[in-house]
PDB file of all heavy atoms in Angstrom:
ATOM      1  N   GLY A  21     211.960 222.105 137.168  1.00 96.00           N
ATOM      2  CA  GLY A  21     213.288 221.566 137.446  1.00 96.00           C
ATOM      3  C   GLY A  21     213.345 220.094 137.063  1.00 96.00           C
ATOM      4  O   GLY A  21     212.322 219.398 137.071  1.00 96.00           O
ATOM      5  N   ARG A  22     214.544 219.627 136.727  1.00 96.00           N
ATOM      6  CA  ARG A  22     214.723 218.215 136.377  1.00 96.00           C
ATOM      7  C   ARG A  22     216.090 217.756 136.877  1.00 96.00           C
ATOM      8  O   ARG A  22     217.085 218.477 136.734  1.00 96.00           O
ATOM      9  CB  ARG A  22     214.634 217.989 134.869  1.00 96.00           C
ATOM     10  CG  ARG A  22     214.646 216.511 134.465  1.00 96.00           C
ATOM     11  CD  ARG A  22     214.564 216.349 132.949  1.00 96.00           C
ATOM     12  NE  ARG A  22     214.361 214.965 132.572  1.00 96.00           N
ATOM     13  CZ  ARG A  22     215.329 214.048 132.472  1.00 96.00           C
ATOM     14  NH1 ARG A  22     216.587 214.404 132.717  1.00 96.00           N
ATOM     15  NH2 ARG A  22     215.045 212.814 132.117  1.00 96.00           N
ATOM     16  N   ALA A  23     216.119 216.575 137.482  1.00 95.00           N
ATOM     17  CA  ALA A  23     217.383 216.046 137.995  1.00 95.00           C
ATOM     18  C   ALA A  23     217.433 214.539 137.778  1.00 95.00           C
ATOM     19  O   ALA A  23     216.404 213.859 137.784  1.00 95.00           O
ATOM     20  CB  ALA A  23     217.533 216.368 139.482  1.00 95.00           C
ATOM     21  N   GLN A  24     218.649 214.037 137.599  1.00 95.00           N
ATOM     22  CA  GLN A  24     218.853 212.606 137.403  1.00 95.00           C
ATOM     23  C   GLN A  24     220.038 212.163 138.244  1.00 95.00           C
ATOM     24  O   GLN A  24     221.118 212.756 138.185  1.00 95.00           O
ATOM     25  CB  GLN A  24     219.093 212.289 135.922  1.00 95.00           C
ATOM     26  CG  GLN A  24     219.384 210.812 135.648  1.00 95.00           C
ATOM     27  CD  GLN A  24     219.468 210.511 134.169  1.00 95.00           C
ATOM     28  OE1 GLN A  24     218.677 211.022 133.372  1.00 95.00           O
ATOM     29  NE2 GLN A  24     220.426 209.677 133.782  1.00 95.00           N
ATOM     30  N   VAL A  25     219.834 211.131 139.035  1.00 94.00           N
ATOM     31  CA  VAL A  25     220.892 210.561 139.867  1.00 94.00           C
ATOM     32  C   VAL A  25     221.181 209.157 139.368  1.00 94.00           C
ATOM     33  O   VAL A  25     220.281 208.309 139.307  1.00 94.00           O
ATOM     34  CB  VAL A  25     220.469 210.520 141.351  1.00 94.00           C
ATOM     35  CG1 VAL A  25     221.536 209.825 142.186  1.00 94.00           C
ATOM     36  CG2 VAL A  25     220.219 211.929 141.868  1.00 94.00           C
ATOM     37  N   ASP A  26     222.442 208.901 139.002  1.00 94.00           N
ATOM     38  CA  ASP A  26     222.832 207.605 138.440  1.00 94.00           C
ATOM     39  C   ASP A  26     223.504 206.743 139.507  1.00 94.00           C
ATOM     40  O   ASP A  26     224.346 207.224 140.274  1.00 94.00           O
ATOM     41  CB  ASP A  26     223.798 207.814 137.272  1.00 94.00           C
ATOM     42  CG  ASP A  26     223.165 208.595 136.123  1.00 94.00           C
ATOM     43  OD1 ASP A  26     221.979 208.334 135.824  1.00 94.00           O
ATOM     44  OD2 ASP A  26     223.849 209.480 135.561  1.00 94.00           O
ATOM     45  N   ARG A  27     223.099 205.474 139.538  1.00 91.00           N
ATOM     46  CA  ARG A  27     223.668 204.485 140.450  1.00 91.00           C
ATOM     47  C   ARG A  27     223.931 203.195 139.674  1.00 91.00           C
ATOM     48  O   ARG A  27     223.548 203.070 138.517  1.00 91.00           O
ATOM     49  CB  ARG A  27     222.710 204.207 141.620  1.00 91.00           C
ATOM     50  CG  ARG A  27     222.503 205.392 142.547  1.00 91.00           C
ATOM     51  CD  ARG A  27     223.752 205.661 143.390  1.00 91.00           C
ATOM     52  NE  ARG A  27     223.495 206.676 144.412  1.00 91.00           N
ATOM     53  CZ  ARG A  27     223.664 207.970 144.248  1.00 91.00           C
ATOM     54  NH1 ARG A  27     224.082 208.420 143.061  1.00 91.00           N
ATOM     55  NH2 ARG A  27     223.432 208.815 145.226  1.00 91.00           N
ATOM     56  N   TYR A  28     224.549 202.229 140.352  1.00 89.00           N
ATOM     57  CA  TYR A  28     224.857 200.958 139.686  1.00 89.00           C
ATOM     58  C   TYR A  28     223.577 200.217 139.283  1.00 89.00           C
ATOM     59  O   TYR A  28     223.563 199.439 138.327  1.00 89.00           O
ATOM     60  CB  TYR A  28     225.708 200.058 140.604  1.00 89.00           C
ATOM     61  CG  TYR A  28     224.980 199.547 141.823  1.00 89.00           C
ATOM     62  CD1 TYR A  28     224.311 198.321 141.797  1.00 89.00           C
ATOM     63  CD2 TYR A  28     224.938 200.297 142.987  1.00 89.00           C
ATOM     64  CE1 TYR A  28     223.635 197.863 142.910  1.00 89.00           C
ATOM     65  CE2 TYR A  28     224.263 199.841 144.101  1.00 89.00           C
ATOM     66  CZ  TYR A  28     223.612 198.619 144.060  1.00 89.00           C
ATOM     67  OH  TYR A  28     222.938 198.176 145.166  1.00 89.00           O
ATOM     68  N   TRP A  29     222.486 200.462 139.981  1.00 87.00           N
ATOM     69  CA  TRP A  29     221.226 199.769 139.681  1.00 87.00           C
ATOM     70  C   TRP A  29     220.395 200.497 138.614  1.00 87.00           C
ATOM     71  O   TRP A  29     219.385 199.992 138.145  1.00 87.00           O
ATOM     72  CB  TRP A  29     220.368 199.585 140.935  1.00 87.00           C
ATOM     73  CG  TRP A  29     220.383 200.741 141.898  1.00 87.00           C
ATOM     74  CD1 TRP A  29     221.123 200.854 143.027  1.00 87.00           C
ATOM     75  CD2 TRP A  29     219.609 201.950 141.804  1.00 87.00           C
ATOM     76  NE1 TRP A  29     220.877 202.052 143.659  1.00 87.00           N
ATOM     77  CE2 TRP A  29     219.941 202.742 142.934  1.00 87.00           C
ATOM     78  CE3 TRP A  29     218.681 202.440 140.894  1.00 87.00           C
ATOM     79  CZ2 TRP A  29     219.363 203.998 143.150  1.00 87.00           C
ATOM     80  CZ3 TRP A  29     218.103 203.680 141.120  1.00 87.00           C
ATOM     81  CH2 TRP A  29     218.449 204.442 142.237  1.00 87.00           C
ATOM     82  N   GLY A  30     220.786 201.741 138.266  1.00 90.00           N
ATOM     83  CA  GLY A  30     220.049 202.477 137.256  1.00 90.00           C
ATOM     84  C   GLY A  30     220.058 203.968 137.537  1.00 90.00           C
ATOM     85  O   GLY A  30     220.988 204.495 138.186  1.00 90.00           O
ATOM     86  N   SER A  31     219.034 204.648 137.103  1.00 92.00           N
ATOM     87  CA  SER A  31     218.941 206.097 137.269  1.00 92.00           C
ATOM     88  C   SER A  31     217.595 206.470 137.872  1.00 92.00           C
ATOM     89  O   SER A  31     216.551 205.924 137.481  1.00 92.00           O
ATOM     90  CB  SER A  31     219.092 206.816 135.920  1.00 92.00           C
ATOM     91  OG  SER A  31     220.343 206.526 135.330  1.00 92.00           O
ATOM     92  N   LEU A  32     217.653 207.394 138.828  1.00 93.00           N
ATOM     93  CA  LEU A  32     216.436 207.947 139.423  1.00 93.00           C
ATOM     94  C   LEU A  32     216.212 209.315 138.800  1.00 93.00           C
ATOM     95  O   LEU A  32     217.044 210.217 138.921  1.00 93.00           O
ATOM     96  CB  LEU A  32     216.586 208.063 140.934  1.00 93.00           C
ATOM     97  CG  LEU A  32     215.369 208.597 141.701  1.00 93.00           C
ATOM     98  CD1 LEU A  32     214.238 207.581 141.680  1.00 93.00           C
ATOM     99  CD2 LEU A  32     215.743 208.930 143.147  1.00 93.00           C
TER     100      LEU A  32
END
Side-chain angles (χ1 to χ4, degrees):
R22 187 180 189 278
Q24 177 174 319
V25 176
D26 298 320
R27 294 288 188 270
Y28 68 92
W29 38 261
S31 300
L32 182 70

